[in-house]
Amino acid sequence: MKLWSGVVTEHSQACRDFYVRLFQCRVLFDSDWFVLLELGGGELGFLAPQQEAQAAAFQRPLRDGQGLWVTIDVDDADAEYRRLQALGVPIEVAIRDEAWGDRHFVILDPAGIAVDVVQHG
């Protein structure tokens, strides 16, 4: 078995570009209706809404990314923070340490999904 996730969004191409540019995700499948990305063995898909071939459960797009997040595990959160700042990426939550040992910060992707960039403690 394998677990992976997908998001129905009008921003599939922008999301592809975001994850490829910022995190060097590998594009496994790329079309105007679906994009599948891979990073470190994890996969994330972006499906365009209202695809006639899809069941109703997969036709409505996510709205504003609320209640959903993606995590990118990194070796050095501070280095990633500086790198993304230098690229002009808006930071949603500044870098910080958590009581459970993680150091992380948050950015938003084009679909409004929180991307938690984490260095595990």
Side-chain angles (χ1 to χ4, degrees), residues 77-92:
D78 290 291
E80 286 298 310
Y81 190 76
R82 288 188 301 272
R83 182 180 73 82
L84 294 178
Q85 278 187 312
L87 291 172
V89 176
I91 306 296
E92 184 72 11

Side-chain angles (χ1 to χ4, degrees), residues 19-73:
Y19 287 97
V20 168
R21 180 174 71 91
L22 298 183
F23 301 108
Q24 294 75 50
C25 286
R26 189 167 63 110
V27 178
L28 300 179
F29 185 84
D30 191 1
S31 71
D32 59 345
W33 63 275
F34 183 70
V35 172
L36 183 60
L37 304 176
E38 185 271 336
L39 180 64
E43 294 178 10
L44 181 60
F46 295 97
L47 176 66
Q50 306 304 326
Q51 298 296 310
E52 289 181 23
Q54 297 296 330
F58 302 109
Q59 292 205 12
R60 292 182 47 215
L62 177 72
R63 291 286 173 224
D64 302 322
Q66 299 299 303
L68 177 65
W69 80 91
V70 171
T71 299
I72 305 286
D73 288 339

